[in-house]
Amino acid sequence: MNIGLIEFPQHTDEYGSLVPIEESDTVPFDIKRVYYIYGVENGMRRGFHSHVNLEQVLICVSGHVKILVKTPWEEKEILLNHPRSGLYIGPMVWREMFDFSEDAVLLVLASDHYRVEDYIRDYNKYEKMAQQYFAKP
Ligand code: T46
């Protein structure tokens, strides 16, 4: 389905915890961009798109959030509720983010710069493109 869960290493001592993230080690692509989403009001749902080429890892560094990942054949809801847990989302996967807790901060590592042309926001168009993409040998 082009998704995967990553558990980052964590260093905990009496001073607290530290989670290091390094490309090629735990993140399977070169990180070109980082952004974060926070202050999402209760009941708000974001996303509603797929990417053609972009790969990303989503990490909820504070609070919790649910991610719906979907292809034409299957869908899953994943709860991100720990700063050690990352959700890898590869190309051609529809995503929606919802049930943000008030304190949620969703950090995203991305494999490329922001490119509007990489977004597919029409679900019918996405379905057709995904059928071709996943059918390729
Ligand atoms: C994704 C999910 C998980 C920028 O100017 N630069 C950026 O790097 C990004 C990501 C967004 N923007 C602008 C474009 C919009 O005017 O920020 C505004 C909100 O973006 P968008 O509506 O695409 O946000 P989400 O939460 O629907 O989706 C975002 C990412 O765009 C997307 O790649 O996979 O988070």
Side-chain angles (χ1 to χ4, degrees), residues 33 35 37 46-47 49 51 56 95 97 114 119 121:
R33 177 168 51 110
Y35 60 91
I37 297 167
R46 304 181 61 114
H49 61 261
H51 282 282
Q56 301 193 104
R95 83 282 320 261
M97 301 87 79
Y114 179 62
Y119 285 72
R121 294 193 182 270

Side-chain angles (χ1 to χ4, degrees), residues 27-79:
V27 173
F29 51 78
D30 291 352
I31 300 162
K32 291 240 179 75
R33 177 168 51 110
V34 175
Y35 60 91
Y36 44 91
I37 297 167
Y38 68 101
V40 180
E41 274 177 32
N42 193 260
M44 285 294 177
R45 211 170 165 106
R46 304 181 61 114
F48 299 98
H49 61 261
S50 168
H51 282 282
V52 180
N53 294 308
L54 190 70
E55 297 175 87
Q56 301 193 104
V57 172
L58 281 58
I59 307 157
C60 193
V61 292
S62 167
H64 57 87
V65 62
K66 287 183 188 151
I67 316 291
L68 171 79
V69 282
K70 187 172 172 176
T71 66
W73 305 276
E74 55 181 325
E75 65 178 68
K76 284 182 185 152
E77 261 185 36
I78 292 151
L79 173 68

Side-chain angles (χ1 to χ4, degrees), residues 81-96:
N81 61 357
H82 198 284
R84 271 191 88 169
S85 306
L87 172 64
Y88 168 83
I89 307 182
M92 296 307 289
V93 177
W94 189 263
R95 83 282 320 261
E96 294 170 23

